[in-house]
């Protein structure tokens, strides 16, 4: 069963979320495997993409934002780009682009360095892109290196995102994610600032010190418990069992998730693809037509194929453009 649970530790400045995604994650992998142009993801890459999906779901569930949270890693190795996008209703999609001729060179146990950071230029970005955009709107984006302070590639996505939260958001965070061919799952534990609206300052002493990174004793204790969770447990146990085993001495208050659950969904459609082609210009699109052979446009996220013949192309450039954002993830064939 795919689900996400959010919770608070009663009386403590700590919140958490746990996610488990099975059949929707399997659908992502199946669609990719059935794509005749690309074939299945290498096992090492599918694992990282599943971890990105779990992390994106946890982060999106933890904020009040009407739009898309996009987590992406841009690499300088055989994997050029990996993307997981999560909408506010927890609809998600994910894809990755592998450099030509590198598909068979990514080992099942490939590390982040092997796939994304061979030359030390890999980057991880988190983007918040609102559904409603006013004139001049620019999405928020935070970027973090895949390297630690000593110049070494961080060994896991969890550590990359924990570094991002620590440096960019100034929040103590524990993130544990894991994925295989059937499940993508994760646990997020985060310190809530003691000071501020809706805070716990009235019940806390030395609030200034408690809001300093690494100084909150309650969070540090909960974090130690969370770090005892293994990837195997995360993948094999249901969410309630995990929470009970980790935090049996704590009182947890569940937060209503309004019936939302993770589900796969792609926003691509023929109209959006038509707008993309229109943006290329009539001359360039007309040059793509080869006799009676139509233009083929494939969505990397869901595998849908769109075909446009000469009549379709003529209609595209005779009809007015719709006011839609162009969508990424489309490949021309």
């Amino acid at each position: 069963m795919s689900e996400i649970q959010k919770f608070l530790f009663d009386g403590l400045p700590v919140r958490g979320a746990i996610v488990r995604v099975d059949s929707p994650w399997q659908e992502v992998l199946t669609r990719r495997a059935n794509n005749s142009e690309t074939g299945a993801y290498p096992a090492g890459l599918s694992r990282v993409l599943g971890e990105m999906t779990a992390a994106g779901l946890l982060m999106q569930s933890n904020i009040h934002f009407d739009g898309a949270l996009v987590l992406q890693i841009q690499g300088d190795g055989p994997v050029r780009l990996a993307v997981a996008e999560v909408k506010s209703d927890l609809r998600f999609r994910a894809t990755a682009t592998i450099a030509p001729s590198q598909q068979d060179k990514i080992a099942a146990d490939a590390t982040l360095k092997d796939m994304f950071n061979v030359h030390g230029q890999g980057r991880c970005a988190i983007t918040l892109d609102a559904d409603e955009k006013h004139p001049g709107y620019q999405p928020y984006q935070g970027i973090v290196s895949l390297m630690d302070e000593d110049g070494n590639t961080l060994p896991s996505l969890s550590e990359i995102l924990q570094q991002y939260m620590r440096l960019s958001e100034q929040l103590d965070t524990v993130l544990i994610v894991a994925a295989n061919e059937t499940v993508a799952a994760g646990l997020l534990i985060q310190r809530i600032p003691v000071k501020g609206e809706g805070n716990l300052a009235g019940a806390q002493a030395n609030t200034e010190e408690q809001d300093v990174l690494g100084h909150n004793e309650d969070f540090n204790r909960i974090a130690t418990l969370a770090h005892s969770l293994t990837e195997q447990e995360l993948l094999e146990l249901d969410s309630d069992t995990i929470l009970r085993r980790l935090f049996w001495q704590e009182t947890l208050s569940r937060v209503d998730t309004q019936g939302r659950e993770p589900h796969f969904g792609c926003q691509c459609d023929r109209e959006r693809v038509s707008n993309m082609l229109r943006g290329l210009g009539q001359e360039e699109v007309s040059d793509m037509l080869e006799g009676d052979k139509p233009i083929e446009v494939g969505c990397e996220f869901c595998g849908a194929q769109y075909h446009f013949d000469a009549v379709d192309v003529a209609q595209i450039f005779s009809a007015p453009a719709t006011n839609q954002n162009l969508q990424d993830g489309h490949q021309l064939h």
Side-chain angles (χ1 to χ4, degrees):
M1 181 180 70
S2 296
E3 64 170 353
I4 192 161
Q5 294 188 35
K6 297 170 60 180
F7 48 91
L8 299 170
F9 290 81
D10 280 5
L12 305 180
V14 186
R15 63 185 174 189
I18 187 167
V19 66
R20 181 177 181 83
V21 188
D22 46 28
S23 57
W25 169 238
Q26 294 166 29
E27 182 176 356
V28 171
L29 297 183
T30 299
R31 285 176 176 270
R32 176 73 177 207
N34 291 339
N35 188 322
S36 59
E37 296 287 335
T38 61
Y41 290 117
L45 177 55
S46 67
R47 182 186 68 251
V48 172
L49 202 58
E51 292 174 353
M52 292 174 65
T53 297
L57 286 162
L58 288 169
M59 290 187 291
Q60 174 67 281
S61 72
N62 225 19
I63 58 178
H64 300 285
F65 179 71
D66 293 326
L69 183 149
V70 183
L71 174 59
Q72 64 183 46
I73 301 178
Q74 186 168 356
D76 63 9
V79 183
R80 299 297 171 80
L81 182 68
V83 181
E85 178 189 84
V86 184
K87 303 287 283 186
S88 53
D89 62 356
L90 301 187
R91 172 169 33 116
F92 73 88
R93 56 182 188 166
T95 189
T97 302
I98 304 172
S101 75
Q102 297 296 308
Q103 177 86 10
D104 298 328
K105 298 181 180 180
I106 301 175
D109 59 351
T111 64
L112 281 172
K113 180 178 177 63
D114 297 334
M115 290 185 283
F116 296 96
N117 207 40
V118 175
H119 305 292
Q121 300 301 309
R123 294 289 183 271
C124 178
I126 298 174
T127 304
L128 297 178
D129 190 10
D131 287 337
E132 295 187 12
K133 300 176 175 61
H134 53 74
Y137 170 82
Q138 292 292 329
Y140 166 82
Q141 186 174 76
I143 300 176
V144 65
S145 170
L146 305 185
M147 317 278 276
D148 62 18
E149 296 176 352
D150 297 322
N152 300 312
T153 302
L154 290 162
S156 69
L157 176 69
S158 294
E159 294 186 58
I160 292 168
L161 294 178
Q162 286 172 171
Q163 175 173 272
Y164 171 84
M165 290 295 179
R166 186 174 65 253
L167 298 179
S168 298
E169 307 298 328
Q170 296 294 298
L171 281 178
D172 291 303
T173 302
V174 173
L175 178 65
I176 302 170
V177 289
N180 56 24
E181 67 279 3
T182 58
V183 176
L187 173 69
L188 175 72
I189 300 295
Q190 198 165 61
R191 174 178 59 83
I192 304 171
V194 175
K195 297 178 66 177
E197 185 179 353
N199 61 65
L200 296 170
Q204 298 281 336
N206 303 319
T207 56
E208 293 287 348
E209 181 178 347
Q210 290 296 301
D211 273 344
V212 175
L213 282 170
H215 282 218
N216 190 287
E217 294 182 0
D218 290 317
F219 173 82
N220 291 341
R221 175 171 52 79
I222 300 297
T224 299
L225 296 173
H227 277 302
S228 69
L229 178 65
T230 67
E231 288 190 8
Q232 183 177 1
E233 290 172 328
L234 190 54
L235 292 172
E236 295 180 357
L237 301 178
D238 64 84
S239 298
D240 288 334
T241 299
I242 290 173
L243 295 179
R244 194 163 52 247
R245 286 190 178 187
L246 290 177
F247 309 122
W248 62 275
Q249 288 185 307
E250 308 295 332
T251 302
L252 303 185
S253 295
R254 303 301 172 106
V255 178
D256 185 12
T257 57
Q258 300 177 331
R260 296 182 302 168
E261 63 181 38
H263 59 286
F264 172 79
C266 189
Q267 298 97 299
C268 78
D269 57 33
R270 189 173 181 84
E271 187 174 13
R272 292 176 186 270
V273 178
S274 296
N275 283 339
M276 182 195 72
L277 292 174
R278 185 182 289 109
L280 295 176
Q282 186 169 3
E283 182 177 354
E284 182 174 347
V285 173
S286 296
D287 288 343
M288 295 177 186
L289 290 167
E290 301 176 6
D292 295 331
K293 184 178 179 181
I295 298 171
E296 296 182 4
V297 183
C299 177
E300 292 188 359
F301 285 99
C302 69
Q305 297 290 318
Y306 300 92
H307 303 272
F308 297 85
D309 59 20
V311 174
D312 296 324
V313 170
Q315 290 177 340
I316 286 174
F317 290 98
S318 63
T322 58
N323 184 24
Q324 285 185 331
N325 297 314
L326 299 182
Q327 297 295 306
D328 57 353
H330 295 121
Q331 278 191 333
L332 295 171
H333 304 299

